[in-house]
Amino acid sequence: MTARHRPLNPRRITVLAYHTFTQLVRMKVFYFLGAFAVILIAANFLRLPTHAAPEAVGVQLLYSIKSSCAGAMTLFSIVMAIVATGLLLPKDVEDRTLYTILAKPVPRLDYLLGKFFGVAALIFVSLLVMDLLMTGALQLRMGGVLEQQRAAGEAFGHPPEMIEAQLAETRALGPTWALQGAVFVIFLQSVVIISVALLLSTFSTSTLFTAIVGFLVVFIGFFQADAREAYFHGTGVLGKIGSAIMTTALPDLQLYKLIDAVIEGRPLEAFDLLKVTGVTLFYFVVYTFVSWLVIARKEF
Amino acid sequence: MEPAVEIENLTKVFPAHFGGRPVRAVDRVSIRIEPGEVYGLIGPNGSGKSTTMKALLGLVAPTSGTCRIFGADSLAVDSREQVGFLPENPYFYKHLSGAETLRFYGKLCGLRGKSLEARVDELLELVDLVEARDRRLGGYSKGMLQRIGLAQALVQEPRLVILDEPTAGVDPIGSRQIRDLVLALRERGITVFLCSHLLEQVQEVCDRVGIIFRGRMIREGRLEEMLSIEDQTELVLRDARPELVEEIRRLIEAADGAELVRAGRPRTTLERLFLRETVDRNE
Ligand SMILES: Nc1ncnc2c1ncn2[C@@H]1O[C@H](COP(=O)(O)OP(=O)(O)O)[C@@H](O)[C@H]1O
Ligand SMILES: [Mg+2]
């Protein structure tokens, strides 16, 4: 018999991913989380315009919309990535549905990847919805700000070039491509976290354990670059190796902080985006590989 | 022809947990099942039936020995192409309906399109769940779950079906439905490997049985050979007048060497009575 059922069959992974996606969508617990995030973002449509000094207020307003939306998206994506992923495997083991799946010609790697892509797809779609809402809110509120600024400029008798320059500056704070890039970076961050949670759930049997350790890893992830700097600074080759091991074992999430920079209105360099994408792929491949090693030997 | 199941000297030792002793769940068990046979593994709880089946499906790795399905090693994914499995007390995804469940497992086996839909319809018909096809499994009864599980195991038309306690926790009507399904599988030449601690049901469907106890195979053989009492003959009469019975009695007494062990009315089983008074009444 030839090896017809090699791992990494795209169709089989899609079937499993689609199933995971449906499973999570039909799990009503996550509706609350999603609704909460959406309300947080949609609230930006409703806030009343202020009548204070237009330059400062306009900028402040757009910044606060962006940061609150990005905050909601980040929080949602992290919680989803950890909790949803942490739920899946222990549930399959406990309910013995895993037996029925692995008793079909399904390689264990494909099973893992199906779970991964299912959660990733759900987060991607949710972020897309939130992104649309955020962009709509920004667009609307920016229109108001621009009008105010134009009126104020004209009242002060500023020359048209100066007014235009100011308006252009304001537009850079609105819905830009860089902002879309930042949302993509939020997604990439959740890809890393899903990979971590998946790895954790291959050797834990409880969702609670996965969730707690998962949040801990994320928390450390945001600070580990500083810790590494402090700990391994000037320790030579050995230090470099130790530092490399630490960044691989625990994901360095400081890289993903470029979201904040974009929100403050700084442009997103193509190189940075590429770098973050590369790092994300690295973590995804390493963690999935280790997950596979664990689950390939596991007995149920 | 290649045997459907070939288990050779299977031993499975589970490592010790929290200071306990290692568990030798299966101890040098060998089973060979020819294509088309219905084989029953019987034994009390904890005697290693499920572990043997899991090893055959590659869900646990043997400590020593080998398992093969139609010649393919159980640890290889390919061996699972020709096998359907119904685990003990299965729970399927509650968020899926009956039809969705079968579609999901069918797609995992590479089925799709019209042939998949046709297969789903056919299976729902077979296990008598057409009415419940669009209901979520969360609302299924135990017997319905067991039947959807059986349908799931059959989805890619495997040549071998492995059933772990298929009738445990199912009421007599449900378990008769399952028994009939197993008999239907045998008609179609599908090999069935089932295990149970409910002996009567094994007796009704199996060609060959193995008795496993504390991980060891105690006895194995064809059912009728194992059960027939060599030196006895049974005679069941209908509408026999008492005079006829008396006459037979006298003949036996007159004959040399033969002895009447027991005479009287054969009893039906409670299960048969139950079925006669419930289901069969409406039929
Ligand atoms: N994963 C496991 N870890 C440790 N012991 C196990 C495991 N699975 C089964 N056992 C033990 O192996 C023995 C046989 O179990 P099992 O095969 O489930 O029996 P049966 O199906 O005949 O009731 C039991 O003593 C059980 O406790
Ligand atoms: Mg069992």
Side-chain angles (χ1 to χ4, degrees):
Chain A
M1 209 184 275
T2 53
R4 253 164 303 164
H5 298 283
R6 293 213 186 95
L8 298 176
N9 176 325
R11 187 136 54 85
R12 200 162 37 212
I13 295 173
T14 312
V15 171
L16 287 160
Y18 179 72
H19 169 260
T20 305
F21 183 87
T22 323
Q23 183 183 13
L24 291 171
V25 167
R26 291 186 186 176
M27 234 182 246
K28 300 207 172 54
V29 250
F30 294 117
Y31 286 8
F32 292 102
L33 195 60
F36 173 72
V38 164
I39 288 169
L40 217 60
I41 291 168
N44 290 304
F45 279 105
L46 305 172
R47 212 173 289 155
L48 293 167
T50 45
H51 296 283
E55 305 89 27
V57 166
V59 171
Q60 198 56 47
L61 176 67
L62 296 181
Y63 172 74
S64 84
I65 293 177
K66 284 189 290 184
S67 72
S68 72
C69 291
M73 288 185 203
T74 307
L75 189 70
F76 173 83
S77 65
I78 292 178
V79 173
M80 271 308 269
I82 293 178
V83 178
T85 313
L87 275 175
L88 295 172
L89 256 79
K91 202 167 155 52
D92 276 6
V93 174
E94 198 173 307
D95 292 353
R96 272 170 283 213
T97 38
L98 186 58
Y99 294 165
T100 55
I101 292 175
L102 295 182
K104 298 291 179 206
V106 175
R108 293 182 182 193
L109 179 59
D110 289 14
Y111 170 77
L112 273 183
L113 288 174
K115 297 287 174 200
F116 172 85
F117 286 114
V119 181
L122 184 67
I123 293 180
F124 189 85
V125 171
S126 314
L127 285 179
L128 202 66
V129 171
M130 293 181 203
D131 185 25
L132 282 175
L133 274 173
M134 174 177 75
T135 308
L138 268 179
Q139 188 69 40
L140 192 82
R141 303 309 300 269
M142 189 178 70
V145 171
L146 288 177
E147 244 166 63
Q148 278 181 7
Q149 283 180 337
R150 187 188 296 279
E154 278 164 3
F156 281 117
H158 289 318
E161 307 89 61
M162 200 176 138
I163 297 178
E164 275 314 312
Q166 201 201 4
L167 295 186
E169 230 169 78
T170 306
R171 281 199 193 95
L173 297 173
T176 56
W177 283 111
L179 191 62
Q180 301 303 313
V183 175
F184 184 63
V185 174
I186 295 179
F187 172 70
L188 290 180
Q189 176 176 284
S190 68
V191 164
V192 175
I193 299 172
I194 299 169
S195 313
V196 170
L198 202 59
L199 173 56
L200 288 171
S201 69
T202 52
F203 50 79
S204 95
T205 43
S206 94
T207 305
L208 195 65
F209 172 84
T210 306
I212 290 172
V213 179
F215 281 115
L216 211 65
V217 169
V218 169
F219 185 74
I220 295 170
F222 285 124
F223 299 103
Q224 80 135 288
D226 300 329
R228 231 165 45 218
E229 181 66 24
Y231 193 73
F232 293 112
H233 186 70
T235 46
V237 182
L238 230 58
K240 280 227 171 66
I241 295 173
S243 166
I245 290 174
M246 186 165 165
T247 4
T248 312
L250 291 169
D252 180 358
L253 295 178
Q254 214 149 32
L255 285 167
Y256 298 83
K257 287 234 171 104
L258 69 110
I259 300 162
D260 299 344
V262 172
I263 286 166
E264 281 163 17
R266 259 172 277 158
L268 181 65
E269 302 290 339
F271 173 74
D272 284 339
L273 194 59
L274 219 62
K275 186 177 156 199
V276 174
T277 310
V279 169
T280 304
L281 273 177
F282 169 76
Y283 282 130
F284 165 64
V285 170
V286 169
Y287 293 154
T288 308
F289 183 70
V290 179
S291 307
W292 181 43
L293 290 185
V294 176
I295 208 170
R297 281 164 177 65
K298 197 160 171 158
E299 302 189 323
F300 301 99
Chain B
M1 213 183 336
E2 252 166 356
V5 171
E6 202 177 7
I7 298 174
E8 275 175 358
N9 266 316
L10 174 70
T11 298
K12 178 66 198 177
V13 181
F14 287 108
H17 267 301
F18 305 111
R21 288 204 284 129
V23 180
R24 187 172 282 265
V26 180
D27 195 0
R28 285 164 289 159
V29 165
S30 298
I31 297 173
R32 193 184 157 99
I33 306 176
E34 298 302 328
E37 252 186 332
V38 176
Y39 186 98
L41 192 59
I42 56 180
N45 287 326
S47 52
K49 304 182 294 293
S50 299
T51 307
T52 306
M53 290 185 156
K54 284 186 202 163
L56 185 58
L57 287 154
L59 294 168
V60 302
T63 307
S64 67
T66 54
C67 301
R68 273 191 291 276
I69 294 176
F70 292 110
D73 192 291
S74 292
L75 294 174
V77 175
D78 289 332
S79 71
R80 261 145 264 166
E81 198 169 320
Q82 290 299 344
V83 64
F85 177 48
L86 174 66
E88 191 174 9
N89 294 320
Y91 287 91
F92 296 97
Y93 290 110
K94 289 194 192 69
H95 68 278
L96 296 180
S97 71
E100 282 171 331
T101 302
L102 297 184
R103 232 174 264 139
F104 170 62
Y105 287 102
K107 282 181 187 162
L108 287 183
C109 297
L111 301 176
R112 53 179 168 163
K114 283 216 180 69
S115 62
L116 174 62
E117 285 312 308
R119 185 73 187 141
V120 169
D121 291 340
E122 186 188 336
L123 284 170
L124 286 169
E125 185 81 40
L126 179 73
V127 298
D128 195 17
L129 285 173
V130 177
E131 253 106 271
R133 64 174 292 147
D134 295 320
R135 260 197 281 150
R136 298 226 176 141
L137 298 200
Y140 273 28
S141 73
K142 176 84 195 164
M144 290 162 89
L145 278 178
Q146 212 77 15
R147 276 181 284 143
I148 200 77
L150 193 59
Q152 161 279 126
L154 295 172
V155 74
Q156 84 276 33
E157 302 192 53
R159 290 192 284 157
L160 168 68
V161 183
I162 300 180
L163 311 172
D164 191 347
E165 309 265 3
T167 54
V170 180
D171 66 37
I173 302 169
S175 73
R176 190 173 65 158
Q177 270 175 320
I178 291 168
R179 185 201 64 195
D180 290 346
L181 283 168
V182 172
L183 290 173
L185 292 179
R186 179 163 69 175
E187 287 291 294
R188 285 160 44 186
I190 294 171
T191 316
V192 180
F193 178 22
L194 61 86
C195 78
S196 184
H197 60 268
L198 302 173
L199 307 181
E200 192 156 350
Q201 275 153 11
V202 173
Q203 188 175 349
E204 280 176 339
V205 297
C206 291
D207 301 316
R208 222 148 51 85
V209 294
I211 303 174
I212 188 171
F213 183 58
R214 296 198 180 141
R216 298 237 176 100
M217 188 64 88
I218 303 290
R219 254 195 96 177
E220 197 185 24
R222 299 203 67 78
L223 195 62
E224 65 265 29
E225 288 162 17
M226 285 170 79
L227 294 187
S228 62
I229 303 172
E230 291 297 323
D231 59 352
Q232 291 190 5
T233 306
E234 198 167 39
L235 200 64
V236 181
L237 308 174
R238 170 179 290 152
D239 295 335
R241 284 169 295 112
E243 302 87 77
L244 178 62
V245 177
E246 240 354 90
E247 175 127 21
I248 293 173
R249 235 183 245 282
R250 241 178 291 124
L251 276 173
I252 294 170
E253 268 163 32
D256 215 18
E259 178 196 3
L260 183 67
V261 179
R262 155 172 45 86
R265 289 180 197 285
R267 284 167 184 259
T268 183
T269 61
L270 187 57
E271 181 179 339
R272 270 185 233 135
L273 176 73
F274 177 82
L275 290 171
R276 199 175 65 212
E277 297 299 318
T278 53
V279 191
D280 296 346
R281 169 167 296 215
N282 309 326
E283 278 171 8

